[in-house]
Amino acid sequence: MAVEAQEIARPETRRRARRARPGFVTTGLLAPPVLWLVIFFLVPVVLIALYSVNVFSLYPGGQYFTLDSWKNFLDGSPFLDLFWKSVRMSLIVSVAAVLAAYPIAYFIALVASRRKYVLLLLILTPFLVSYFLRLLAWKVILGDQGVINTFLYWTGIRAEGDPVSWLIYSQFAVILTLVYVYVPFVALPIFVSLDSLDRRLLEAAADLGASRWQAFRKVTLPLSLPGVIAAFIFVFIPTIGEYFTPLLVGGVNGTMFGNAIADQFGQSLNWLNGSVLSFFLLTVVALLLAVFARFLTVRRVATG
Amino acid sequence: MEIATSPNGTRLLKVWFAILVVFLYAPLLLLLIFSFNDNNLPVFPLRGFTTDAYRQFVSNPELKASIVTSVKVAALSSLGAIILGLLASIVLVRRDFFGRGGVSALLLSPLVVPYIALAIGLLVFFNEASLPLGIKSIVMGHIVVSIPYAILILVPRLERLDARLEEAARDLGAGALQTFRLITFPLLLPALVSAYLVAFVLSFDEIVIAYFVNGQVTTFPLYLFSTLRFPTLLPQVLAVACVVMAASAFILIGAEIARRVIERRLGTDLSESAAEPA
């Protein structure tokens, strides 16, 4: 899988740029994909916003503008605590995933020059294969009657019926599973930034008397930071809203913000409150994206 | 001096690489082992070899129905995603216009927006629009999340495509559509197939959006999720999980290798040889 990081060059700066065409061709080509996103992504976001201030409501006749749900939520509600707990867990997951993946990406990009695409494919394949089935695997492995605990009973390390209780239905289980799910994905953007590194810079650093460690700290690491930040964002943002991982292996302790949202729309049937939570999450995501946009929009991580 | 690592550093990196490969593959291997174990629960000790679980799932009508549903959803949504992704990619690569950055951000945003927010949004949307939930609503949601993957696969291919080929066709009198049909499309085909398969596998496995807008329809991951309440079905689930993961890996890796070979044969890649490892 060839992977590269270049800026998506603006057509006028490219050598073989096509002449500018009448605007209606561009518009015509662009309209279907953009409209699709507008109808099935942006319009729903606006609807969520309207539900969150009760301008829209599940209950006919009950619509009127109010910020009460927002006030309740922001005024120290348990949901807000849950949000911060999710942020903490996502931070741990993203940092752990980046730390685990960096040496892998470094090894593939800068050391294993011969078989690099094979090695990259080896790391990426689990990610491409399945999210849900890998979740299931961990539920089977970590359970009280799961692979690890029954192995411990069988070998006599633990007494039968005395499972290692924190293995499942804990924050640990959620964090471990999420790191497992995201490590391959994280390795990709880091690999891309390291692979596009100009090796001559390292040679120059060596010629100028830099040690390996100095060359890494002053050349390689700074130049790979955009990839590291992109990788971090690619894990951090989606995991704040994780739903199925906490549901399957999290139990009560491992619940995350996404579970609260699902619960409001599901069992509680409180779309007003659920919309407040959803729109809050979307706002946080939008803010994070705005802050980190330059690491995401100019770089592309692509299979080529 | 090899500046990237010292010999000891290389050894450490190799060890870490090996540890991570074990971490990534051991759970999958355990699933495989327990899918052949002669026990209704995935527990140690192993009792013996059996293929019962595989025979059971082949004759489980609900499971088969859910797979058929997911294949339909995936086939339709990935088709939609590559058509919309292709249109967007052509514009993003070949044309400059006001708002280009915003458009590309919008089209790529489903990569990072938590699926739960997308799923809830669709649920609210379909409810407000009084549209029924079912295969169609899942397909519409899956197209949204597959478009960015299609774009990420098609854009680099389009960028490396020699624009002079298209110009030559135009100079020889071909119209815009004819040029696309005879020149651009055939050259893009391997990347389109690649994008289709990635979107297909993504949709086949997707559960969050499917969970919220499925109506009465049960997709494959939703069926697996529903079986978690019935431990007796677990061996079948493990068996089918192994088959599906092996098939997905086979399809994706096979397609990737085929694409690289074909694109090299097509010989339109002026830059690829430079990007190849020495």
Side-chain angles (χ1 to χ4, degrees):
Chain A
M1 192 163 298
V3 180
E4 62 229 78
Q6 297 156 7
E7 307 205 347
I8 296 183
R10 285 178 168 270
E12 81 249 345
T13 64
R14 286 155 32 104
R15 264 187 305 131
R16 298 189 299 268
R18 299 285 297 252
R19 288 172 299 273
R21 290 289 175 79
F24 72 87
V25 176
T26 302
T27 315
L29 288 172
L30 212 48
V34 167
L35 277 180
W36 195 275
L37 266 287
V38 167
I39 293 171
F40 296 111
F41 177 40
L42 292 187
V43 169
V45 168
V46 172
L47 283 175
I48 290 176
L50 293 174
Y51 263 90
S52 79
V53 293
N54 205 32
V55 169
F56 278 61
S57 169
L58 256 194
Y59 310 105
Q63 297 98 329
Y64 56 90
F65 177 83
T66 171
L67 289 172
D68 285 354
S69 294
W70 277 101
K71 282 185 196 134
N72 287 337
F73 169 66
L74 294 171
D75 192 20
S77 77
F79 293 116
L80 196 59
D81 295 339
L82 187 62
F83 173 76
W84 288 115
K85 181 185 151 200
S86 298
V87 168
R88 272 199 306 278
M89 288 169 73
S90 296
L91 264 179
I92 296 172
V93 169
S94 348
V95 170
V98 167
L99 288 180
Y102 196 95
I104 299 302
Y106 189 90
F107 176 70
I108 299 176
L110 295 175
V111 184
S113 55
R114 280 197 165 269
R115 296 253 146 241
K116 87 175 145 178
Y117 291 102
V118 177
L119 294 180
L120 190 65
L121 212 52
L122 186 68
I123 294 290
L124 279 181
T125 301
F127 185 81
L128 298 171
V129 165
S130 168
Y131 157 81
F132 189 69
L133 295 178
R134 287 183 302 147
L135 258 185
L136 211 63
W138 280 102
K139 189 179 169 63
V140 167
I141 290 166
L142 298 174
D144 285 347
Q145 283 299 320
V147 172
I148 292 180
N149 275 317
T150 55
F151 180 78
L152 294 177
Y153 305 153
W154 182 45
T155 50
I157 295 170
R158 297 285 287 217
E160 183 88 41
D162 177 29
V164 183
S165 59
W166 48 264
L167 270 186
I168 195 161
Y169 305 134
S170 61
Q171 286 193 31
F172 165 81
V174 175
I175 290 169
L176 175 74
T177 308
L178 285 176
V179 169
Y180 176 80
V181 167
Y182 279 99
V183 155
F185 196 37
V186 167
L188 190 58
I190 303 177
F191 166 82
V192 166
S193 64
L194 286 170
D195 195 45
S196 59
L197 185 92
D198 190 344
R199 297 288 288 259
R200 285 171 304 182
L201 292 174
L202 290 178
E203 284 159 23
D207 289 346
L208 294 170
S211 67
R212 290 191 182 94
W213 175 242
Q214 274 176 320
F216 173 74
R217 212 161 44 85
K218 303 233 163 161
V219 179
T220 314
L221 186 61
L223 286 174
S224 64
L225 270 188
V228 170
I229 292 170
F232 177 82
I233 289 302
F234 270 119
V235 184
F236 182 65
I237 297 181
T239 49
I240 301 177
E242 260 307 313
Y243 174 58
F244 271 95
T245 309
L247 191 66
L248 257 60
V249 300
V252 179
N253 293 329
T255 306
M256 291 178 78
F257 197 60
N259 303 77
I261 294 178
D263 187 52
Q264 294 297 309
F265 280 91
Q267 284 155 342
S268 307
L269 216 63
N270 188 344
W271 283 29
L272 175 60
N273 201 16
S275 299
V276 170
L277 304 187
S278 303
F279 197 73
F280 180 72
L281 179 63
L282 281 162
T283 310
V284 171
V285 168
L287 287 174
L288 284 170
L289 283 180
V291 171
F292 292 102
R294 63 203 178 94
F295 295 104
L296 299 175
T297 54
V298 294
R299 297 198 81 77
R300 65 190 165 75
V301 177
T303 53
Chain B
M1 168 171 100
E2 176 53 60
I3 185 76
T5 51
S6 62
N8 278 331
T10 306
R11 241 166 269 144
L12 275 176
L13 286 173
K14 276 185 182 158
V15 169
W16 185 242
F17 187 86
I19 290 173
L20 216 80
V21 169
V22 170
F23 176 59
L24 286 175
Y25 285 89
L28 308 181
L29 199 66
L30 280 169
L31 281 194
L32 186 68
I33 292 170
F34 282 103
S35 72
F36 287 111
N37 186 28
D38 190 8
N39 189 340
N40 275 335
L41 293 168
V43 297
F44 278 107
L46 295 169
R47 281 199 196 150
F49 181 86
T50 173
T51 53
D52 284 354
Y54 288 83
R55 277 201 293 273
Q56 283 162 1
F57 96 67
V58 174
S59 56
N60 177 342
E62 286 175 61
L63 178 57
K64 275 196 285 190
S66 76
I67 291 178
V68 170
T69 304
S70 274
V71 167
K72 274 187 207 160
V73 169
L76 287 172
S77 68
S78 35
L79 186 65
I82 61 163
I83 292 172
L84 295 176
L86 175 64
L87 294 176
S89 303
I90 289 174
V91 177
L92 288 174
V93 172
R94 294 279 194 254
R95 285 157 213 277
D96 199 14
F97 55 94
F98 179 74
R100 190 173 173 277
V103 165
S104 117
L106 174 67
L107 292 170
L108 294 179
S109 60
L111 275 181
V112 280
V113 174
Y115 278 18
I116 184 107
L118 294 170
I120 293 297
L122 287 169
L123 174 66
V124 172
F125 175 80
F126 283 108
N127 181 64
E128 264 327 299
S130 302
L131 293 169
L133 299 175
I135 286 188
K136 277 186 210 158
S137 54
I138 305 174
V139 167
M140 287 166 187
H142 282 184
I143 290 178
V144 170
V145 296
S146 302
I147 284 176
Y149 287 92
I151 291 177
L152 286 178
I153 292 170
L154 294 174
V155 160
R157 179 60 187 153
L158 268 168
E159 281 189 335
R160 281 182 318 188
L161 207 97
D162 194 342
R164 284 173 303 185
L165 292 172
E166 293 174 7
E167 279 159 17
R170 299 302 297 273
D171 288 346
L172 292 169
L177 275 179
Q178 210 179 1
T179 307
F180 178 78
R181 194 166 52 84
L182 295 175
I183 306 292
T184 318
F185 182 74
L187 290 173
L188 265 185
L189 197 58
L192 279 169
V193 171
S194 204
Y196 185 85
L197 292 174
V198 167
F200 189 97
V201 170
L202 183 87
S203 161
F204 191 81
D205 179 56
E206 203 288 326
I207 184 164
V208 181
I209 291 168
Y211 182 73
F212 283 96
V213 299
N214 68 322
Q216 303 297 315
V217 172
T218 305
T219 63
F220 172 64
L222 286 175
Y223 175 77
L224 293 188
F225 180 62
S226 73
T227 62
L228 291 180
R229 278 170 294 157
F230 310 103
T232 49
L233 288 171
L234 201 52
Q236 289 180 48
V237 168
L238 297 188
V240 77
C242 291
V243 171
V244 166
M245 286 196 280
S248 317
F250 183 76
I251 291 171
L252 288 175
I253 294 173
E256 179 61 25
I257 293 168
R259 189 178 60 78
R260 290 179 74 80
V261 170
I262 292 170
E263 286 187 354
R264 210 167 298 159
R265 288 238 178 102
L266 286 173
T268 52
D269 246 335
L270 300 177
S271 59
E272 178 143 41
S273 53
E276 282 299 293

